[in-house]
Amino acid sequence: MAVSDDRVPVPDVNREMCPSRRILEHVTSRWGVLVLAALLERSYRFSELRREIGGVSEKMLAQTLQTLERDGFVDRDAKPVIPPRVDYSLTQLGKEAAEQVWGLARWSERRVADVKAARVSYDDEKARAAASL
Amino acid sequence: MAVSDDRVPVPDVNREMCPSRRILEHVTSRWGVLVLAALLERSYRFSELRREIGGVSEKMLAQTLQTLERDGFVDRDAKPVIPPRVDYSLTQLGKEAAEQVWGLARWSERRVADVKAARVSYDDEKARAAASL
DNA sequence: CCGAATCCAAAACGATACTG
DNA sequence: CAGTATCGTTTTGGATTCGG
């Protein structure tokens, strides 16, 4: 693997992002939310999870699962068989995380109508403001 | 807490780009979280908010505020004075949103230590696996 | 079947300059 | 003061291909 990338213009300045922010990003990421939600019900195999979620590429699902596993939210159980079989499930910490984000997701769902109405109102007012110029 | 045994109050999270997902993205976005958290305490003017949050570009702050305003979470009060003065505050819906995400943020903070430990463990195990090849 | 590696297009982001 | 416009960079995500 040719890792020799001569282009190192910036000494990668310390972008000190608070740790909790990174955790938040992981659990609320596009696929992170869906993975946690699915695993809250039961454990899944890789392809099974991919089908269940739908619309996620292998790359993104693998990446998401690895991130969540590294953070200690997901347990990866690779069985030494042919063909390979890997089961994913939530750890205790992951279950807690899943419940948190699931709560937020449910709140979002409850408020969809309010938000839609607000957007109509906003766009409307904007259109009228533009028209009166 | 059992989730699987109830008639699913499930958000359409399994569908591609459902409305609730977009709401979730807005309120949990990098700057969205910080804006909501700040406004939860009191109202802010634009530059004031920018300083308070720190590290956010004008462009991103403006964009974030507009998104949150359009969704009905933030109220923008532009006073017709010279020099301009614009106050941002939370609507009732926005206060609810802010409390939700703030709860999640606080949970993340509480679990930072656990996640850090999990990462060390993960990286460690990975290193040992690589070494034993 | 699980997933790593590569390529590349598109979107997000930040810095800067500029306007009312 | 409160933004908008523009531009270059960084990051992201999907498609594809390859390997264990």
Coordinates of all heavy atoms in Angstrom, one line a residue, chain A residues 7 15 31 57 59-60 84, chain D residues 10-11 13-15 17 20:
Chain A
R7 N 2.1 15.1 -0.2 CA 1.4 16.4 0.1 C 0.9 16.4 1.5 O -0.1 15.9 1.9 CB 0.2 16.4 -0.9 CG -0.6 17.7 -0.8 CD -1.7 17.7 -1.9 NE -2.5 16.5 -1.7 CZ -3.6 16.5 -1.0 NH1 -4.0 17.6 -0.5 NH2 -4.4 15.4 -1.0
R15 N -7.7 20.4 16.0 CA -9.1 20.8 15.9 C -9.7 20.2 17.2 O -10.4 19.2 17.1 CB -9.8 20.3 14.7 CG -9.0 20.6 13.4 CD -9.8 20.1 12.3 NE -11.1 20.8 12.2 CZ -12.1 20.4 11.4 NH1 -12.0 19.4 10.6 NH2 -13.2 21.0 11.4
W31 N -26.6 6.8 9.2 CA -26.8 5.3 9.3 C -26.7 4.8 10.8 O -27.2 3.8 11.1 CB -25.8 4.6 8.4 CG -25.9 5.0 7.0 CD1 -24.9 5.6 6.3 CD2 -27.0 4.9 6.1 NE1 -25.3 5.9 5.0 CE2 -26.6 5.5 4.9 CE3 -28.3 4.5 6.3 CZ2 -27.5 5.6 3.8 CZ3 -29.2 4.6 5.2 CH2 -28.7 5.1 4.0
S57 N -25.0 1.6 1.5 CA -24.0 0.9 0.8 C -23.2 0.0 1.8 O -23.2 0.3 3.0 CB -23.0 1.9 0.1 OG -22.3 2.6 1.1
K59 N -20.1 -0.2 2.1 CA -19.0 0.6 2.7 C -19.5 1.4 3.9 O -18.9 1.4 5.0 CB -18.5 1.6 1.6 CG -17.4 2.5 2.1 CD -17.1 3.6 1.1 CE -16.2 4.7 1.7 NZ -15.9 5.7 0.6
M60 N -20.6 2.1 3.7 CA -21.1 2.9 4.8 C -21.6 2.1 6.0 O -21.4 2.5 7.2 CB -22.2 3.8 4.3 CG -21.8 4.9 3.4 SD -20.3 5.8 4.0 CE -20.9 6.5 5.5
P84 N -18.5 -17.1 6.1 CA -18.4 -16.3 7.3 C -19.8 -15.9 7.8 O -20.7 -15.8 7.0 CB -17.7 -15.1 6.8 CG -16.9 -15.5 5.6 CD -17.7 -16.5 5.0
Chain D
dT10 P -6.9 21.1 2.2 OP1 -5.9 21.3 3.2 OP2 -6.6 20.3 1.0 O5' -8.1 20.4 2.9 C5' -8.9 21.1 3.9 C4' -10.1 20.3 4.2 O4' -11.1 20.4 3.1 C3' -9.9 18.8 4.5 O3' -10.4 18.6 5.8 C2' -10.6 18.1 3.3 C1' -11.7 19.2 3.0 N1 -12.2 19.1 1.6 C2 -13.6 19.0 1.3 O2 -14.4 18.9 2.3 N3 -13.9 19.0 0.0 C4 -13.1 19.1 -1.1 O4 -13.6 19.1 -2.2 C5 -11.7 19.3 -0.8 C7 -10.7 19.4 -1.9 C6 -11.3 19.3 0.5
dT11 P -10.4 17.1 6.4 OP1 -10.3 17.2 7.8 OP2 -9.4 16.3 5.6 O5' -11.9 16.5 6.0 C5' -13.0 17.4 6.2 C4' -14.2 16.7 5.8 O4' -14.4 16.8 4.3 C3' -14.3 15.2 6.1 O3' -15.6 15.0 6.8 C2' -14.3 14.5 4.7 C1' -14.8 15.6 3.8 N1 -14.4 15.6 2.4 C2 -15.3 15.6 1.4 O2 -16.5 15.6 1.6 N3 -14.8 15.6 0.1 C4 -13.5 15.6 -0.2 O4 -13.1 15.6 -1.4 C5 -12.5 15.5 0.9 C7 -11.1 15.5 0.6 C6 -13.0 15.6 2.1
dG13 P -21.3 10.5 5.1 OP1 -22.6 10.9 5.8 OP2 -20.3 9.6 5.8 O5' -21.8 9.9 3.7 C5' -22.3 10.7 2.7 C4' -22.3 10.0 1.4 O4' -21.0 10.1 0.8 C3' -22.5 8.5 1.5 O3' -23.5 8.1 0.6 C2' -21.2 7.8 1.3 C1' -20.6 8.8 0.3 N9 -19.1 8.8 0.3 C8 -18.2 8.7 1.3 N7 -17.0 8.7 1.0 C5 -17.0 8.9 -0.4 C6 -16.0 9.0 -1.3 O6 -14.8 8.9 -1.2 N1 -16.5 9.2 -2.6 C2 -17.8 9.3 -3.0 N2 -18.1 9.5 -4.3 N3 -18.8 9.2 -2.1 C4 -18.3 9.0 -0.8
dG14 P -24.3 6.7 0.7 OP1 -25.7 7.0 0.9 OP2 -23.5 5.8 1.6 O5' -24.1 6.2 -0.8 C5' -24.4 7.1 -1.9 C4' -23.7 6.6 -3.2 O4' -22.3 6.8 -3.1 C3' -23.9 5.1 -3.4 O3' -24.3 4.9 -4.8 C2' -22.6 4.5 -3.1 C1' -21.6 5.6 -3.4 N9 -20.4 5.6 -2.7 C8 -20.2 5.5 -1.3 N7 -19.0 5.5 -1.0 C5 -18.3 5.6 -2.1 C6 -16.9 5.7 -2.3 O6 -16.0 5.6 -1.5 N1 -16.5 5.8 -3.7 C2 -17.5 5.8 -4.7 N2 -17.0 5.9 -5.9 N3 -18.8 5.8 -4.5 C4 -19.1 5.6 -3.2
dA15 P -24.8 3.5 -5.3 OP1 -26.0 3.8 -6.0 OP2 -24.8 2.5 -4.2 O5' -23.7 3.1 -6.4 C5' -23.0 4.1 -7.1 C4' -21.9 3.5 -7.9 O4' -20.6 3.6 -7.2 C3' -22.1 2.0 -8.2 O3' -21.7 1.7 -9.6 C2' -21.2 1.3 -7.2 C1' -20.0 2.3 -7.0 N9 -19.4 2.3 -5.7 C8 -20.1 2.2 -4.5 N7 -19.3 2.2 -3.5 C5 -18.0 2.3 -4.0 C6 -16.8 2.3 -3.4 N6 -16.5 2.3 -2.1 N1 -15.7 2.4 -4.3 C2 -15.9 2.4 -5.6 N3 -17.1 2.4 -6.2 C4 -18.1 2.3 -5.4
dT17 P -16.6 -3.2 -11.8 OP1 -16.3 -3.1 -13.2 OP2 -17.7 -4.1 -11.3 O5' -15.3 -3.7 -11.0 C5' -14.3 -2.7 -10.7 C4' -13.3 -3.3 -9.6 O4' -13.9 -3.1 -8.3 C3' -13.0 -4.8 -9.8 O3' -11.6 -5.0 -9.8 C2' -13.7 -5.4 -8.6 C1' -13.6 -4.3 -7.6 N1 -14.6 -4.4 -6.4 C2 -14.1 -4.3 -5.2 O2 -12.9 -4.1 -4.9 N3 -15.0 -4.3 -4.2 C4 -16.4 -4.5 -4.4 O4 -17.1 -4.6 -3.4 C5 -16.8 -4.6 -5.7 C7 -18.3 -4.8 -6.0 C6 -15.9 -4.5 -6.7
dG20 P -6.3 -12.9 0.3 OP1 -4.8 -12.7 0.4 OP2 -6.9 -14.0 -0.6 O5' -6.8 -13.2 1.7 C5' -7.4 -12.1 2.5 C4' -8.4 -12.7 3.6 O4' -9.7 -12.7 3.1 C3' -8.1 -14.2 3.9 O3' -8.4 -14.4 5.3 C2' -9.0 -15.0 3.0 C1' -10.2 -14.0 3.0 N9 -11.1 -14.1 1.8 C8 -10.6 -14.2 0.5 N7 -11.6 -14.2 -0.4 C5 -12.8 -14.2 0.4 C6 -14.1 -14.2 0.0 O6 -14.6 -14.3 -1.1 N1 -15.0 -14.2 1.2 C2 -14.5 -14.1 2.5 N2 -15.5 -14.1 3.4 N3 -13.2 -14.1 2.8 C4 -12.4 -14.1 1.7

